[in-house]
Amino acid sequence: MAGLRGGATLALLGGLMLGAALPPRRAEASEIALPPGSGITVTIKPGTTTLARPCYILFSKTPTIMLSIKSGEKKTFSFMCQNPENHFVIEIHKNIDCMSGRCPFGEVHLQPPTSALPTLNRTFIWDIQAHKSIGLELQFFMPRLRQIGPGESCPDGVTHSISGRISAAMVKIGTFCSNGTVSRIKMQERVKMALHLPWFHDRNVSGFSIANRSSIKRLCIIESVFEGEGSATLMSANYPDGFPEDELMTWQFVIPPHLRASVSFLHFNVSNCEKKEERVEYYIPGSTTNPEVFKLADKQPGNMAGNFNLSLQGCDQDAQNPGVLRLKFQVLVQHPQNESYITYTVDLSNERATSVTIEPRPVKLSRKFVPGCFVCLESRACSTNLTLTPGSKHKISFLCDDLTRLWMNAKQTLSCMDHRSCHRKSYFLQVPRDILQLPVQLHDFSWKLLVPKDKLSLALVPSEKLQQDTRERICNTSFSYLMASSSSSPGQDLYFGYFCSGGSIEQIQVKQNMSVTLRTFSPSFQQEVSKQGLKVSFIPHFKEEGVFTVTPDTKSKVYLRTPNWERGLPSLNSVSWNISVPNDQVACLTFVKDQTGLVCQTGRAFMIIQDQRTQAEEVFTLEEMLPKPSFHHHNFWVNVSNCSPVSGKQLNLLFQVSLTPRTIGKGWHE
């Protein structure tokens, strides 16, 4: 029995060893024959991916991992696996010598044709050499090419890599996909073109031709043709590495006459120049100053009609610290809008420290093509945002399909630092007419008001009485004022809140420097523009953070609240309300909550209500219950003074004032 078991084991081992020695199933045999004098070399070699199970090429009964077929040779081979496309790639390299013989100009064919090649990832390489005085032009059939940057790939896997040569150094012109705008690339002396086709792609044409041109006297010229609206992203040679020293590269753009083009630099670096200066030059149709020269940091031209050229010129770099010159830019082509023919003048020559920025509104990004939205200075220098500086007169136009995609933000600084003369000065805070006439919605106009410390304070009187925005009475107007005072002490800035027209506040007095921001909420602001306006005056310095003068309306309640509502009144701050009561009315003062929830860490927080005629006053501690509703027949003060509160137990106080007709009863004395 033991002998039988041993014999069975030996038979099993022998079968396993015999099975291991059998070669794997191989793919069908392939044959490649290259005509003599074709200048073609075919190389089959391992790909970049390493798999657990190796695969071999079987040639002349010998396994190998690389096979080369030269011009005039014919070789038959097979792969010792069923999926060679996962293991090998094939390169077809063709040398075209235009130095010693006639160049084969015209359409370039795939040789051997893809049908005669094994099903592997294929790269066709054409290496073309010509005299230095000869320009070589690659012409691409439809579809044209689209340049891609490092890390990007083509959706169909088909890529075109194009290089040139400067002396002994190869220069990468770029990597391209299909479905773009690049129609021609011209180079000097030598061109290397590589077309990569994935194994599953059945393309059987090269898609380009070669033409002979005169010397271009520069590194290369790239032609980009637009048939309609669209954009193209292009890069300097060797991008993201450095552009060759002291070289010149040109892009030619063919634009339909009914469209407009704008250039935006997406990314650039400049090198350290020893001689000359790096620059970009434009040949723009209709310009009387061609070429127009720009630094890379300048705003680039926009709103250009017709064809134009853009050239990048390098410099002689510092040998010790050359730096890197590189450029990535976008050309956007779109239909002109009616507004692009209108020029607006914004005169800031007499405006005090006023700047205006026109910029895009925040929007969600879209994958679809979206026409650009540009602001153009002097109709040519266009960009997505533009800041108009004080002291000058500016002429602007717009190249934008929808002007609601833009808005304006403006700033103005007003100061009076000589307290001896300031009390005679006043300013009217109003948006200038030149800004209001622009076809773009104003978002914010901010005034920064500065006074000498501890010498003067500020008083603001609105054109129409203001209402404080509260949850109980929300501002529903097309614009509001956001008011805040700034302190030299960190964390002590005081936000008074939002205010809109149609209320009861006649005046706001502020102890120190402050900012006032007019913020719009709808385009109807243009119809309500007459309601805007604040007169600011300089008054003697006082110690309270703010004083509100209020004349309640007989038809509605007035809601008032302490500043810094979201974070609480700052420590040791004091605010007052001067509330007027008409002779025939009685004012009812009501606190919305019974208590503040305040807890003081140091000091005391209190409220004083004082009758202005009799000077009688009541004092309440704000850590306790707030007073019940009280009635006032004369003008009165409400003063709130804070302690240093415990964190999270801040002081927020909201109250209302309402008027009712006065009834003079028996025993009443004025």
Side-chain angles (χ1 to χ4, degrees):
M1 292 293 290
L4 286 173
R5 285 197 297 269
T9 302
L10 287 172
L12 179 60
L13 287 172
L16 288 172
M17 291 175 69
L18 181 63
L22 290 174
R25 290 181 298 168
R26 64 184 67 168
E28 295 181 3
S30 300
E31 181 182 274
I32 295 178
L34 301 178
S38 63
I40 300 174
T41 300
V42 175
T43 304
I44 302 173
K45 59 185 182 179
T48 56
T49 304
T50 302
L51 301 178
R53 288 194 168 202
C55 181
Y56 298 96
I57 306 167
L58 188 64
F59 173 67
S60 297
K61 299 182 181 181
T62 303
T64 182
I65 60 170
M66 185 175 293
L67 182 65
S68 179
I69 304 110
K70 297 179 181 179
S71 177
E73 293 181 342
K74 180 172 72 171
K75 291 184 179 181
T76 302
F77 57 92
S78 61
F79 296 100
M80 300 176 69
C81 59
Q82 290 296 313
N83 54 348
E85 69 277 2
N86 294 335
H87 298 266
F88 296 99
V89 297
I90 184 168
E91 283 187 359
I92 304 94
H93 193 286
K94 181 177 177 63
N95 287 314
I96 301 175
D97 185 3
C98 299
M99 303 278 286
S100 56
R102 186 177 178 184
C103 257
F105 294 121
E107 183 178 352
V108 175
H109 299 282
L110 297 183
Q111 294 177 314
T114 53
S115 58
L117 298 173
T119 309
L120 305 175
N121 289 337
R122 305 176 291 278
T123 302
F124 289 86
I125 301 171
W126 295 270
D127 200 339
I128 311 161
Q129 296 189 57
H131 289 283
K132 288 186 176 181
S133 59
I134 298 297
L136 296 170
E137 179 180 280
L138 305 182
Q139 298 177 344
F140 300 96
F141 315 142
M142 297 297 286
R144 301 185 179 108
L145 302 186
R146 172 177 62 88
Q147 189 170 7
I148 59 173
E152 296 181 84
S153 59
C154 300
D156 59 359
V158 178
T159 59
H160 307 70
S161 298
I162 302 170
S163 302
R165 181 179 288 274
I166 299 175
S167 300
M170 292 300 294
V171 178
K172 182 181 177 182
I173 302 303
T175 303
F176 301 82
C177 302
S178 302
N179 299 320
T181 62
V182 174
S183 59
R184 291 190 291 179
I185 297 179
K186 305 173 190 177
M187 284 178 284
Q188 195 89 7
E189 185 180 354
R190 185 172 180 181
V191 177
K192 191 173 183 179
M193 164 76 184
L195 172 65
H196 174 76
L197 301 174
W199 65 269
F200 52 82
H201 208 285
D202 59 358
R203 176 168 169 168
N204 56 12
V205 295
S206 70
F208 74 97
S209 63
I210 304 174
N212 181 16
R213 292 291 180 262
S214 59
S215 173
I216 61 172
K217 297 182 173 140
R218 62 199 68 205
L219 174 62
C220 74
I221 300 173
I222 297 179
E223 181 185 75
S224 183
V225 177
F226 287 84
E227 302 287 350
E229 287 190 314
S231 64
T233 299
L234 297 157
M235 285 150 265
S236 56
N238 282 342
Y239 189 90
D241 295 327
F243 186 69
E245 182 178 4
D246 196 25
E247 279 295 333
L248 176 64
M249 182 174 181
T250 296
W251 292 266
Q252 296 176 333
F253 297 96
V254 179
I255 312 294
H258 63 285
L259 299 179
R260 299 292 182 269
S262 298
V263 176
S264 300
F265 283 4
L266 305 178
H267 177 77
F268 68 87
N269 286 93
V270 294
S271 56
N272 298 314
C273 295
E274 198 169 67
K275 294 180 182 178
K276 303 181 184 178
E277 186 177 19
E278 294 168 341
R279 63 190 184 275
V280 285
E281 296 180 353
Y282 291 84
Y283 279 85
I284 301 173
S287 173
T288 58
T289 58
N290 280 327
E292 295 193 16
V293 180
F294 293 79
K295 294 180 180 179
L296 275 74
D298 292 340
K299 288 187 182 298
Q300 303 303 309
N303 201 20
M304 293 178 284
N307 306 338
F308 70 97
N309 293 357
L310 184 161
S311 296
L312 174 65
Q313 175 67 65
C315 67
D316 291 331
Q317 298 172 349
D318 185 335
Q320 301 299 320
N321 183 23
V324 175
L325 170 61
R326 55 181 162 224
L327 172 63
K328 180 180 181 181
F329 67 97
Q330 183 185 67
V331 175
L332 190 62
V333 175
Q334 62 194 68
H335 286 284
Q337 307 302 314
N338 291 335
E339 290 294 340
S340 65
Y341 298 106
I342 302 175
T343 299
Y344 298 88
T345 300
V346 180
D347 188 358
L348 300 180
S349 55
N350 295 321
E351 294 294 336
R352 289 172 161 267
T354 304
S355 63
V356 181
T357 299
I358 303 172
E359 58 192 351
R361 294 172 181 262
V363 293
K364 292 183 179 179
L365 296 177
S366 171
R367 292 182 179 270
K368 298 180 180 178
F369 168 73
V370 178
C373 202
F374 295 98
V375 192
C376 303
L377 187 63
E378 302 294 341
S379 79
R380 184 59 57 77
C382 301
S383 61
T384 54
N385 56 71
L386 176 67
T387 297
L388 307 178
T389 54
S392 300
K393 185 180 289 188
H394 307 274
K395 292 184 178 180
I396 65 172
S397 58
F398 297 90
L399 181 61
C400 187
D401 65 322
D402 181 6
L403 288 174
T404 62
R405 293 168 56 189
L406 299 173
W407 64 17
M408 288 185 291
N409 290 289
K411 296 179 181 179
Q412 186 179 55
T413 300
L414 299 173
S415 62
C416 188
M417 307 313 291
D418 183 1
H419 68 278
R420 292 167 297 183
S421 60
C422 288
H423 68 278
R424 296 192 296 269
K425 293 184 178 181
S426 62
Y427 300 107
F428 199 56
L429 307 187
Q430 194 169 33
V431 181
R433 290 183 177 273
D434 279 5
I435 295 175
L436 293 173
Q437 53 114 14
L438 295 176
V440 176
Q441 182 181 339
L442 175 68
H443 177 235
D444 279 356
F445 196 112
S446 297
W447 292 271
K448 191 173 183 180
L449 309 176
L450 305 178
V451 294
K453 186 178 180 181
D454 299 331
K455 299 292 184 182
L456 292 173
S457 295
L458 295 162
L460 286 83
V461 178
S463 299
E464 294 190 6
K465 290 191 292 185
L466 300 178
Q467 166 199 326
Q468 189 171 15
D469 183 73
T470 64
R471 186 178 300 175
E472 291 71 20
R473 190 176 179 191
I474 299 172
C475 284
N476 290 318
T477 53
S478 63
F479 72 96
S480 291
Y481 293 104
L482 172 61
M483 300 187 188
S485 68
S486 54
S487 172
S488 56
S489 302
Q492 293 293 306
D493 288 356
L494 200 64
Y495 293 89
F496 290 105
Y498 280 99
F499 299 84
C500 57
S501 58
S504 302
I505 300 173
E506 294 183 337
Q507 180 177 262
I508 301 173
Q509 295 171 282
V510 180
K511 172 184 176 180
Q512 55 197 356
N513 299 341
M514 73 173 301
S515 66
V516 178
T517 298
L518 183 151
R519 176 164 295 172
T520 69
F521 301 101
S522 73
S524 62
F525 167 69
Q526 292 285 0
Q527 284 73 52
E528 298 182 3
V529 69
S530 60
K531 296 181 180 180
Q532 59 113 7
L534 290 169
K535 182 181 179 182
V536 57
S537 304
F538 300 94
I539 59 175
H541 180 70
F542 59 88
K543 293 184 178 181
E544 290 182 277
E545 299 301 324
V547 178
F548 296 82
T549 300
V550 183
T551 300
D553 190 341
T554 57
K555 298 179 181 178
S556 60
K557 297 176 182 177
V558 180
Y559 287 91
L560 301 166
R561 67 183 185 187
T562 49
N564 267 34
W565 181 255
E566 300 296 332
R567 293 178 292 171
L569 189 67
S571 299
L572 309 178
N573 274 207
S574 176
V575 184
S576 292
W577 290 264
N578 178 8
I579 301 173
S580 299
V581 181
N583 291 332
D584 59 344
Q585 301 287 318
V586 175
C588 178
L589 173 64
T590 305
F591 294 92
V592 175
K593 292 183 178 180
D594 294 334
Q595 54 188 12
T596 64
L598 172 69
V599 177
C600 290
Q601 187 171 8
T602 59
R604 293 181 57 204
F606 55 87
M607 176 174 61
I608 300 174
I609 302 175
Q610 182 188 62
D611 187 296
Q612 294 186 21
R613 173 175 291 189
T614 65
Q615 301 299 307
E617 62 182 36
E618 294 180 279
V619 180
F620 303 91
T621 300
L622 293 176
E623 291 181 273
E624 300 173 356
M625 297 291 291
L626 290 173
K628 301 293 184 184
S630 57
F631 296 91
H632 302 269
H633 298 81
H634 311 119
N635 300 347
F636 63 99
W637 287 97
V638 176
N639 172 265
V640 174
S641 297
N642 198 12
C643 60
S644 292
V646 173
S647 178
K649 302 293 183 179
Q650 309 298 325
L651 174 59
N652 293 306
L653 194 64
L654 174 67
F655 59 93
Q656 68 180 38
V657 179
S658 58
L659 296 179
T660 55
R662 177 186 297 184
T663 301
I664 301 178
K666 185 177 180 181
W668 172 260
H669 299 284
E670 275 292 323

